[in-house]
Amino acid sequence: MSAILAATDSVSGSLGAVGYGLAAIGPGIGVGLIFGNGVQAMARQPEMTNVIRTNMFIGFALTEALALLGFVVPFVFP
């Protein structure tokens, strides 16, 4: 077992994939919070559904923009 661990002292491959994997965690959590709280807000105040939905999609777009930045940055700065 220790021989296997000793052989992994060098890193090979692209660390950009690891960076994107870590960068995707935050927006994934953010999207879940946005839609979860949006549905809860619509259930509490049904008359404000259109306003809540609009704000929810704006927040979703901004959060996904961060995810796309996390995807692009490892390729731009290798």
Side-chain angles (χ1 to χ4, degrees):
M1 182 70 174
S2 63
I4 294 171
L5 293 176
T8 61
D9 58 359
S10 66
V11 176
S12 63
S14 174
L15 291 179
V18 175
Y20 175 65
L22 293 174
I25 292 172
I29 293 170
V31 168
L33 289 173
I34 288 169
F35 283 105
N37 290 330
V39 169
Q40 184 179 15
M42 285 184 220
R44 289 178 183 227
Q45 293 186 337
E47 67 276 2
M48 295 296 291
T49 298
N50 290 332
V51 174
I52 295 168
R53 186 180 301 129
T54 302
N55 290 333
M56 189 172 62
F57 283 127
I58 291 171
F60 170 73
L62 292 174
T63 305
E64 283 299 316
L66 290 175
L68 290 174
L69 282 175
F71 179 70
V72 171
V73 167
F75 295 110
V76 173
F77 302 108

